[in-house]
């Protein structure tokens, strides 16, 4: 087991435990609280064994990420007499953790919550950082607040039941941390793809721990996404999100972000920010991890989706550009120039 803490400006220290059985940790945690509820999607409730807290079952995925689900959590918590000294424990993928964090933020004006991620994407990304919320009016994450968990418990037992494609999807984000901020992580991921495929616990502990440490450093520096540091976490996501939307969400998030990183790094080369070998190195890693997907979308839809990117301010996009593996800079690019470059450099996507 490996652990660390990071500091949140509003909630103090957040404890992160990687490769810690949930059952053991829950007993210790509950000594500090007057009560608890454990919130989990019905799809995985069979995987969650513990009997210490009353259980609230919710729907997960994008459909379950709604204000209605938040209200269900709140009503059930009241029925279980959860008071302000209690804790909500979210056990699930990113969609569940986003809902639980938001419910905890508004229940009785805010109570503590713990994140227990059960997908690789949630283990390396969604569980940490304090972005909580739900979808509404056909828009993703349009309602939400920043609210850090008090603790994040990564129990590697949950990895065993993940379908291979969904298991591998999370490694696009591990690759992102490596490419943007951590050359050592990039190397360890690339040198050990066979152990990734075999779901080797020791390696997983190292890759998840390093990913979370990298993300925590960024979150500590720019908790509320106001200073331009947190945009590094968006690497590959400007084009990636647009690919997801232009493909009608037929491409998975990890694969879209992977292709997004190849495209964005190629644009970086064209603009003179990125070393020429970077796009090839990213593509090589994605291929080894079975994350390289040959996909064609309507190029106009892709460009329209980029225009709608949340990181756009007026005529400009504020985006991260990798300079070399492990380093990045913040760049402001005119939207019209960026769209022209996507068409020119990443035309193979259309
Ligand atoms: N808050 C953040 O910082 C942040 C960051 C990244 C992503 N997200 C959000 O996370 C969501 C995506 O998360 P996700 O990829 O974890 O998907 P998800 O939560 O939708 O779960 C995907 C599927 O995996 C299944 N599942 C979960 N754990 C399992 C296990 N151990 N074994 C077998 N099946 C299991 C679930 O039942 C579900 O069907 C999106 O809504 C995204 O917006 C949030």
């Amino acid at each position: 087991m490996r652990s660390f803490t990071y500091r949140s400006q509003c909630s103090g220290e957040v404890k992160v435990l990687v490769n810690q059985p949930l059952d053991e940790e829950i007993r210790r945690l509950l000594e500090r609280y007057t009560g608890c509820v454990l919130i989990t999607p019905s799809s995985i409730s069979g995987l969650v064994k513990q009997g210490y807290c009353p259980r609230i079952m919710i729907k997960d995925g994008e459909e379950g990420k709604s204000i209605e689900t938040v209200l269900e959590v709140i009503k059930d918590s009241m029925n279980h007499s959860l008071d302000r000294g209690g804790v909500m424990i979210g056990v699930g993928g990113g969609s569940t953790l986003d809902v639980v964090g938001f419910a905890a933020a508004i229940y009785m004006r805010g109570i503590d919550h713990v994140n227990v991620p059960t997908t690789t994407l949630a283990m390396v990304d969604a569980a940490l950082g304090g972005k909580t919320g739900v979808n509404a009016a056909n828009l993703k994450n349009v309602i939400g607040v920043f609210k850090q968990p008090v603790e994040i418990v990564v129990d590697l037992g949950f990895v065993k039941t993940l379908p291979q494609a969904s298991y591998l999807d999370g490694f696009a984000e591990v690759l992102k941390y490596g490419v943007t901020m951590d050359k050592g992580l990039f190397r360890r991921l690339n040198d050990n793809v066979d152990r990734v495929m075999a779901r080797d616990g020791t390696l997983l502990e190292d890759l998840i721990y390093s990913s979370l440490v990298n993300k925590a450093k960024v979150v500590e520096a720019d908790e509320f996404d106001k200073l331009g540091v947190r945009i590094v976490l968006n690497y590959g996501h400007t084009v990636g999100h647009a690919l997801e939307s232009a493909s009608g969400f037929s491409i998975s998030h990890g694969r879209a972000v992977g292709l997004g990183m190849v495209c964005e790094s190629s644009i970086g080369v064209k603009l003179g920010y990125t070393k020429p070998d970077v796009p090839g190195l990213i593509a090589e890693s994605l291929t080894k991890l079975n994350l390289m997907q040959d996909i064609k979308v309507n190029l106009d839809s892709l460009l329209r989706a980029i225009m709608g990117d949340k990181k756009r301010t007026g005529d400009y996009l504020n985006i991260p550009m990798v300079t070399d593996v492990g380093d990045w800079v913040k760049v402001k690019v005119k939207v019209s120039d960026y769209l022209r470059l996507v068409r020119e450099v990443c035309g193979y996507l259309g």
Side-chain angles (χ1 to χ4, degrees):
M1 198 271 288
R2 291 177 82 181
S3 66
F4 70 98
T5 57
Y6 69 95
R7 259 207 96 65
S8 151
Q9 283 170 40
C10 30
S11 11
E13 296 243 298
V14 181
K15 191 165 149 193
V16 184
L17 306 173
V18 180
N19 198 8
Q20 168 67 38
L22 175 61
D23 262 11
E24 284 174 19
E25 185 55 21
I26 247 175
R27 254 177 280 147
R28 204 169 13 239
L29 241 173
L30 293 183
E31 287 166 10
R32 310 207 302 259
Y33 292 102
T34 54
C36 60
V37 291
L38 188 141
I39 302 138
T40 188
S42 23
S43 55
I44 63 155
S45 68
L47 303 178
V48 186
K49 300 277 186 301
Q50 74 80 38
Y52 302 100
C53 307
R55 198 176 288 220
I56 298 175
M57 306 266 226
I58 58 169
K59 196 192 270 183
D60 63 355
E62 294 312 306
E63 216 189 314
K65 218 172 127 172
S66 68
I67 200 75
E68 287 77 20
T69 311
V70 173
L71 292 176
E72 273 171 40
V73 170
I74 287 173
K75 258 192 264 166
D76 287 355
S77 298
M78 285 173 68
N79 289 339
H80 290 301
S81 310
L82 189 72
D83 62 30
R84 296 194 66 199
V87 62
M88 287 186 184
I89 303 175
V91 185
S95 60
T96 299
L97 304 185
D98 283 2
V99 164
V100 173
F102 185 58
I106 59 174
Y107 184 68
M108 297 189 172
R109 299 206 175 85
I111 66 165
D112 281 358
H113 77 286
V114 172
N115 278 344
V116 183
T118 62
T119 61
T120 42
L121 178 81
M123 288 177 186
V124 299
D125 189 358
L128 188 151
K131 287 192 175 178
T132 74
V134 294
N135 306 328
N138 279 328
L139 294 169
K140 237 178 107 76
N141 303 328
V142 72
I143 302 174
V145 293
F146 283 96
K147 159 90 163 66
Q148 302 289 342
V150 287
E151 193 164 317
I152 299 165
V153 185
V154 179
D155 179 340
L156 292 179
F158 288 111
V159 166
K160 288 187 201 135
T161 48
L162 286 168
Q164 185 72 351
S166 132
Y167 165 75
L168 289 174
D169 226 42
F171 288 91
E173 300 290 348
V174 179
L175 182 62
K176 177 195 76 180
Y177 297 120
V179 170
T180 52
M181 307 179 246
D182 188 341
K183 202 173 183 164
L185 174 60
F186 179 82
R187 200 175 314 115
R188 295 200 302 288
L189 174 63
N190 276 287
D191 289 350
N192 292 290
V193 171
D194 49 337
R195 289 172 68 200
V196 170
M197 296 296 172
R199 307 190 186 197
D200 176 311
T202 312
L203 180 75
L204 287 179
E205 180 181 302
D206 169 43
L207 298 181
I208 295 168
Y209 175 86
S210 303
S211 296
L212 291 176
V213 167
N214 278 300
K215 183 164 181 185
K217 279 186 199 151
V218 172
V219 170
E220 275 184 333
D222 185 11
E223 185 169 356
F224 303 108
D225 211 355
K226 294 260 192 248
L227 307 174
V229 181
R230 205 162 165 154
I231 64 163
V232 65
L233 301 174
N234 214 38
Y235 193 63
H237 287 63
T238 302
V239 173
H241 280 152
L243 266 175
E244 282 182 277
S245 148
S247 72
F249 293 88
S250 63
I251 182 171
S252 71
H253 180 71
R255 284 157 181 82
V257 168
L259 289 173
M261 288 192 284
V262 177
C263 171
E264 292 179 21
S265 58
S266 306
I267 291 174
V269 173
K270 187 90 179 169
L271 289 173
Y273 292 107
T274 308
K275 268 184 75 184
D277 62 339
V278 173
L281 291 171
I282 297 174
E284 203 181 303
S285 306
L286 292 170
T287 306
K288 285 198 283 188
L289 288 161
N290 275 343
L291 287 170
M292 202 61 172
Q293 189 168 337
D294 190 13
I295 186 163
K296 297 245 180 279
V297 296
N298 179 296
L299 215 47
D300 290 328
S301 307
L302 181 76
L303 300 180
R304 254 197 315 276
I306 292 174
M307 286 276 289
D309 192 279
K310 271 187 273 183
K311 299 285 176 269
R312 182 163 75 90
T313 34
D315 290 340
Y316 289 89
L317 274 172
N318 291 307
I319 47 172
M321 285 276 178
V322 163
T323 47
D324 194 359
V325 171
D327 277 310
W328 70 284
V329 287
K330 184 168 82 171
V331 172
K332 197 170 168 179
V333 189
K334 240 183 153 186
V335 177
S336 52
D337 290 340
Y338 197 76
L339 297 181
R340 181 180 45 79
L341 284 162
V342 172
R343 203 182 270 285
E344 229 175 274
V345 179
C346 319
Y348 54 87
L349 294 171

